[in-house]
Amino acid sequence: MVFGLRSAITYDDALQYAITVAPLAAAMLAVPTIAQAQRLEPQQHPNLPIDLPALLTHFTHSSSSLKQRPYTALTYALCHADSAHLFANLRGLLLAGVHTHTYFGRRGWWLTFAGGVVSAALDPLRWREAQRRAWLDSKSGQLVPWLTPRLARV
Protein backbone atom coordinates (compact mmCIF):
# COMPACT_ATOMS: atom_id res chain seq x y z
CA MET A 1 0.00 0.00 0.00
CA VAL A 2 1.21 3.47 -0.96
CA PHE A 3 -0.35 6.43 0.88
CA GLY A 4 -3.12 4.14 2.10
CA LEU A 5 -4.12 3.01 -1.41
CA ARG A 6 -4.62 -0.63 -2.17
CA SER A 7 -2.29 -1.87 -4.86
CA ALA A 8 -4.96 -3.85 -6.73
CA ILE A 9 -8.24 -2.47 -8.04
CA THR A 10 -11.11 -4.94 -7.77
CA TYR A 11 -13.73 -5.55 -10.43
CA ASP A 12 -16.32 -3.83 -8.23
CA ASP A 13 -14.05 -0.76 -7.88
CA ALA A 14 -13.63 -0.55 -11.64
CA LEU A 15 -17.37 -0.98 -12.24
CA GLN A 16 -18.27 1.74 -9.72
CA TYR A 17 -15.74 4.07 -11.30
CA ALA A 18 -17.07 3.36 -14.79
CA ILE A 19 -20.58 4.26 -13.59
CA THR A 20 -19.25 7.49 -12.08
CA VAL A 21 -17.11 8.64 -15.00
CA ALA A 22 -19.35 7.55 -17.92
CA PRO A 23 -21.53 10.72 -17.93
CA LEU A 24 -18.44 12.96 -17.86
CA ALA A 25 -16.69 11.01 -20.64
CA ALA A 26 -19.89 11.14 -22.73
CA ALA A 27 -20.14 14.90 -22.21
CA MET A 28 -16.49 15.37 -23.20
CA LEU A 29 -17.07 13.36 -26.37
CA ALA A 30 -20.33 15.21 -27.14
CA VAL A 31 -18.71 18.66 -27.26
CA PRO A 32 -16.73 19.24 -30.46
CA THR A 33 -13.08 20.22 -30.16
CA ILE A 34 -12.03 23.71 -31.23
CA ALA A 35 -10.22 22.20 -34.23
CA GLN A 36 -13.39 20.36 -35.27
CA ALA A 37 -15.46 23.54 -34.90
CA GLN A 38 -12.93 25.35 -37.11
CA ARG A 39 -13.06 22.44 -39.58
CA LEU A 40 -9.31 21.87 -39.16
CA GLU A 41 -9.73 18.19 -38.30
CA PRO A 42 -12.38 15.64 -39.28
CA GLN A 43 -15.11 14.64 -36.90
CA GLN A 44 -13.95 11.31 -35.43
CA HIS A 45 -17.12 10.62 -33.46
CA PRO A 46 -20.65 12.06 -33.40
CA ASN A 47 -20.96 15.20 -31.32
CA LEU A 48 -23.30 18.12 -30.76
CA PRO A 49 -23.65 20.72 -33.54
CA ILE A 50 -21.99 23.58 -31.65
CA ASP A 51 -20.43 26.28 -33.85
CA LEU A 52 -17.14 27.99 -33.03
CA PRO A 53 -18.57 31.27 -31.61
CA ALA A 54 -20.86 29.35 -29.23
CA LEU A 55 -18.03 27.01 -28.24
CA LEU A 56 -15.69 29.90 -27.49
CA THR A 57 -18.38 31.84 -25.63
CA HIS A 58 -19.83 29.08 -23.46
CA PHE A 59 -17.06 26.50 -23.11
CA THR A 60 -13.86 28.53 -22.78
CA HIS A 61 -12.99 31.15 -20.21
CA SER A 62 -11.04 34.27 -19.54
CA SER A 63 -10.91 36.50 -16.50
CA SER A 64 -13.66 38.70 -18.00
CA SER A 65 -15.89 35.76 -18.99
CA LEU A 66 -15.69 34.29 -15.50
CA LYS A 67 -17.31 37.46 -14.16
CA GLN A 68 -20.10 37.43 -16.77
CA ARG A 69 -20.48 33.65 -17.18
CA PRO A 70 -19.18 31.88 -14.04
CA TYR A 71 -20.36 28.49 -15.35
CA THR A 72 -17.47 28.56 -17.84
CA ALA A 73 -15.19 27.57 -14.94
CA LEU A 74 -16.85 24.14 -15.18
CA THR A 75 -17.77 23.88 -18.88
CA TYR A 76 -14.10 24.60 -19.56
CA ALA A 77 -13.46 20.92 -18.69
CA LEU A 78 -15.48 19.86 -21.74
CA CYS A 79 -13.59 22.02 -24.25
CA HIS A 80 -10.44 20.68 -25.90
CA ALA A 81 -8.11 22.09 -28.53
CA ASP A 82 -8.08 18.99 -30.75
CA SER A 83 -8.76 15.25 -30.69
CA ALA A 84 -5.29 14.42 -29.35
CA HIS A 85 -5.91 16.74 -26.37
CA LEU A 86 -9.35 15.21 -25.80
CA PHE A 87 -8.16 11.60 -25.90
CA ALA A 88 -5.10 12.34 -23.74
CA ASN A 89 -7.39 13.82 -21.08
CA LEU A 90 -9.80 10.87 -21.34
CA ARG A 91 -6.93 8.42 -21.02
CA GLY A 92 -5.62 10.21 -17.93
CA LEU A 93 -9.12 10.36 -16.49
CA LEU A 94 -9.67 6.65 -17.00
CA LEU A 95 -6.25 5.48 -15.83
CA ALA A 96 -5.55 7.74 -12.86
CA GLY A 97 -9.06 8.54 -11.68
CA VAL A 98 -9.91 5.01 -10.62
CA HIS A 99 -7.44 5.22 -7.73
CA THR A 100 -8.90 8.51 -6.51
CA HIS A 101 -12.40 7.04 -6.80
CA THR A 102 -11.43 3.88 -4.93
CA TYR A 103 -9.80 5.83 -2.10
CA PHE A 104 -12.22 8.79 -1.73
CA GLY A 105 -15.46 7.39 -3.18
CA ARG A 106 -17.79 8.90 -5.76
CA ARG A 107 -18.37 12.20 -3.96
CA GLY A 108 -14.67 12.65 -3.21
CA TRP A 109 -13.79 11.93 -6.83
CA TRP A 110 -16.28 14.53 -8.12
CA LEU A 111 -15.04 17.10 -5.59
CA THR A 112 -11.42 16.41 -6.61
CA PHE A 113 -12.30 16.66 -10.31
CA ALA A 114 -14.34 19.87 -9.87
CA GLY A 115 -11.58 21.42 -7.74
CA GLY A 116 -9.04 20.62 -10.44
CA VAL A 117 -11.22 22.12 -13.16
CA VAL A 118 -11.93 25.32 -11.24
CA SER A 119 -8.29 25.77 -10.24
CA ALA A 120 -7.24 25.26 -13.88
CA ALA A 121 -9.77 27.89 -14.92
CA LEU A 122 -8.19 30.55 -12.73
CA ASP A 123 -6.17 33.01 -14.76
CA PRO A 124 -2.59 31.70 -14.51
CA LEU A 125 -1.02 34.97 -15.64
CA ARG A 126 -2.68 36.89 -12.83
CA TRP A 127 -1.62 34.18 -10.39
CA ARG A 128 2.01 34.44 -11.53
CA GLU A 129 1.91 38.22 -11.28
CA ALA A 130 0.50 38.01 -7.74
CA GLN A 131 3.23 35.52 -6.81
CA ARG A 132 5.93 37.75 -8.28
CA ARG A 133 4.65 40.76 -6.33
CA ALA A 134 4.51 38.70 -3.13
CA TRP A 135 8.11 37.55 -3.63
CA LEU A 136 9.55 41.03 -4.19
CA ASP A 137 10.30 43.54 -1.47
CA SER A 138 8.19 46.62 -2.24
CA LYS A 139 10.97 49.05 -1.25
CA SER A 140 14.05 47.49 -2.83
CA GLY A 141 12.49 45.46 -5.65
CA GLN A 142 14.70 42.52 -4.62
CA LEU A 143 13.56 39.03 -3.64
CA VAL A 144 12.35 38.91 -0.07
CA PRO A 145 15.14 37.64 2.23
CA TRP A 146 13.30 34.56 3.50
CA LEU A 147 12.73 33.31 -0.07
CA THR A 148 16.32 33.52 -1.39
CA PRO A 149 17.65 30.49 0.56
CA ARG A 150 14.65 28.42 -0.52
CA LEU A 151 15.20 29.22 -4.21
CA ALA A 152 18.89 28.38 -3.86
CA ARG A 153 17.95 24.86 -2.75
CA VAL A 154 15.74 24.25 -5.81
Side-chain angles (χ1 to χ4, degrees), residues 103-145:
Y103 190 71
F104 294 111
R106 180 175 288 163
R107 182 173 182 209
W109 183 86
W110 277 109
L111 289 172
T112 302
F113 178 78
V117 169
V118 171
S119 65
L122 297 175
D123 192 354
L125 295 177
R126 283 191 185 199
W127 177 250
R128 276 192 224 125
E129 180 63 25
Q131 272 185 326
R132 187 183 65 76
R133 274 188 265 135
W135 290 352
L136 295 178
D137 183 6
S138 59
K139 294 178 184 170
S140 68
Q142 301 295 318
L143 281 175
V144 290

